[in-house]
Amino acid sequence: MISEELGIQVKWQKGDSNIIIEKGEISVKAIIGEKKAKVNGKEISCGTAVTILDDTLYVPVRFIAQVFSLSLDYVPYTVEGIEPISQALRNPIITIDENTTEKALTEEEAKNIAKKQLTEKYNRFVSTGYYAEVTTYKKTLSQLQGSINQMSVQGKTSRYWIFSGPKTILVDEYNGNVFFLGYGYATFIHSINEDKSIFQIFGSGYFAG
């Protein structure tokens, strides 16, 4: 799945256990259970064996990064110097991105994008009328709006700017996609454009029911 997101084609070679991974002029031939693969016909080590689990093919991520000239970043969860998002997830973060010369968003540009989208979502949340018509909720609604207007940068992890807000907000510095950190039975990161995201951002944790 990671390979496909990066524009790398993955396909089976009929009749055997060979996997072909291709992008541009680079072709990788790997065999299930083997720790070696052929890159444009030259055999090199994968580090660990290529394997299949629950119908998903797994190839060592560092091997893929090396072969296709990708950037691999690891943000550990530590007691001191914790990146806010890593602290919230209680897990390390591994990111893999295609090397690019694309201009990255500045902190201010990322914040403006997040504020605009959050404001649009907030207005839709209020327009339902359910919370806006209840007098006791007006203070909470005002606090929510204030959290958007007073957004501030909390740090940066890999390619994401992290901001305060109704929830912890992440903005991809390359494509401007906006995400939020939510809580429930587990911690999750979702796009603010996903179904039910409006209530998860502004309702969950602020209103009962």
Side-chain angles (χ1 to χ4, degrees), residues 1-10 21-23 57 59 64 68 70 96:
M1 291 183 286
I2 294 175
S3 296
E4 291 170 354
E5 287 291 329
L6 293 166
I8 301 171
Q9 293 185 334
V10 180
I21 307 170
E22 297 177 324
K23 183 175 184 181
L57 173 69
V59 179
I64 291 294
F68 293 99
L70 304 172
I96 182 169

Side-chain angles (χ1 to χ4, degrees), residues 15 20 37 44 54 62 76 114 136 140 158 160 171 199:
I20 306 298
I44 65 173
D54 295 332
R62 194 170 297 280
T136 54
T140 302
S158 184
Y160 298 95
V171 181
F199 177 78

Side-chain angles (χ1 to χ4, degrees), residues 26-31 34-50 59-60 62-68:
I26 300 175
S27 178
V28 179
K29 183 177 182 180
I31 301 175
E34 294 289 332
K35 295 183 179 181
K36 293 182 179 181
K38 289 186 177 181
V39 180
N40 291 343
K42 182 180 179 180
E43 190 173 84
I44 65 173
S45 173
C46 297
T48 55
V50 176
V59 179
R62 194 170 297 280
F63 168 72
I64 291 294
Q66 176 187 347
V67 170
F68 293 99

Side-chain angles (χ1 to χ4, degrees), residues 145-206:
Q145 189 167 38
S147 70
I148 298 173
N149 295 333
Q150 299 169 20
M151 283 178 63
S152 61
V153 66
Q154 300 296 299
K156 193 167 181 290
T157 294
S158 184
R159 61 187 285 164
Y160 298 95
W161 287 103
I162 305 171
F163 298 97
S164 63
K167 295 288 190 294
T168 298
I169 304 298
L170 292 84
V171 181
D172 188 315
E173 68 174 338
Y174 289 112
N175 57 34
N177 289 338
V178 183
F179 304 85
F180 69 97
L181 182 68
Y183 302 94
Y185 292 107
T187 305
F188 58 88
I189 298 175
H190 283 178
S191 166
I192 67 171
N193 294 313
E194 290 183 14
D195 293 340
K196 299 182 180 180
S197 66
I198 292 179
F199 177 78
Q200 290 171 342
I201 296 171
F202 303 108
S204 179
Y206 293 101

